Amino acid sequence: MTPIFYILVTLFLTSVIWSVIFLMSWFTLGKKQYAMLWTIAFALSACQWATILAEPLFDSHTLYWMLGSSFSVGSVLLGTWGHCIRVNSSIKIRYLIISAIVTLAAVYYFTAINVHVGLFMSLYVYYDVILLILSAVIIFRHKQKSLPAEIGASITYSLCGLLLFVAASIALLQGSQVNEEYIALYTLINFMTVPAAHVGMAVFMIFIMASDLAEKMNHLAMTDVLTGCLNRRGFYNKSQEQLKDKLNNYKYVSLIYWDIDKFKKINDEFGHAGGDVVLVEAAKIMQDCINPDDLFGRIGGEEFTLLIARNDEPTAKAFPEKLRNALASSPIHFNDKVINVTASFGVINIKCNKTAIESAINEADKALYHAKNGGRNQVVHISELSQ
Ligand SMILES: Nc1nc2c(ncn2[C@@H]2O[C@H](COP(=O)(O)OP(=O)(O)OP(=O)(O)O)[C@@H](O)[C@H]2O)c(=O)[nH]1
């Protein structure tokens, strides 16, 4: 038994284990399509190592080589396909499949028809290289700010691609005939690096799935189930996090605290379901008015907050009135009935980046209290209070 035999057995077993792990993660993490593709990718990888182990049993070299290279190409293709699905990439998978078929046809041609050792050994590896680099780019460009798992995976994929590129190029340098020296170098590079690369890629794929799950949980923990906007914790966290940036980039930053008027009466008249529809629709009306980077949250039953940043003072000051008007002039429909909804608004202008959002909300709440006492359906700015 040569050391390469043991390496191949290890690669076979780890591929089987990874395939089982991805299958289990497919079951437990919400049956994501990409987890299933990665399960099959590692199963194909196991088939590739099994084929190489079984080489002495093959009568036909062409059959042996085509099986091994097809498993390799299929495995990398499915891995890349999984990454495309995970990030919603616009890359058309049919082009990847067509290029895989063309590559395998060329491998067949140089294995069985017009034998060229350098080409049949290297062509499918070059295909794998292109797909690994493509995956690295897809993973890295997924978001403006990549997750640590995505950065790690991207680097690992690039390194694997680079190593395979070197191995393929050494194989190609043989030319049409077998060159033992090049084969020895090719084997050395392949078997010294492939096990680490294999494990590295699989671990980062699992890390990516775990990070996606953590991100989803974090998003859920900060989202209001009924309206889909930020909940109390989400609004407090995000607005505190973004306050400094907003104050650096904009001239006017305001916190608006608004509360639907006589909401108890709406609940009494239209039932809790009617009240819920009012909350959802009122939130939508407001969300249609705000800028994409304004922060909007529901911090209590019928109490909402907004953190807005504008460069022009009149626009900033007129904005809460625009919101009040939008709500007051948009009747909400519920079960053939029309519900007229108004809200009261308290506004505070934030000037200092050390302001705690909690105390800004408390101040805006005082303004809101005056808006309610003043007859509701109105806006009160905190500056008016201090005069
Ligand atoms: N339908 C519905 N009602 C809710 C929800 N959360 C809180 N409420 C109700 O909202 C009502 C709030 O009433 P109040 O705090 O008395 O305020 P209000 O009737 O709006 O009166 P003002 O704020 O003074 O204009 C209560 O009846 C709560 O039961 C919710 O998620 N859905």
Side-chain angles (χ1 to χ4, degrees), residues 226 259-265 267-268 271-276 279 298 300-303 344 372 376:
L226 186 66
D259 177 302
I260 298 176
D261 295 329
K262 307 269 185 196
F263 188 63
K264 188 174 178 314
K265 209 168 147 231
N267 263 341
D268 292 344
H272 207 267
D276 280 358
L279 289 171
R298 179 182 174 211
E302 82 298 17
E303 296 161 14
S344 303
K372 290 276 182 188
R376 297 182 172 80

Side-chain angles (χ1 to χ4, degrees), residues 33 59 88 93 102 110 112 120 137 162 173 213 218 227 247 257-258 260 268 291 296 311 313 316 324 340 349:
Q33 203 184 351
D59 290 334
N88 263 333
I93 190 64
V102 171
F110 291 115
F120 82 62
V137 174
L162 196 71
L173 282 175
L213 186 67
N218 196 27
T227 60
L247 282 165
Y257 189 179
W258 62 277
I260 298 176
D268 292 344
N291 289 351
F296 179 52
N311 267 325
E313 187 173 4
R324 188 204 61 75
N340 290 305
N349 184 215

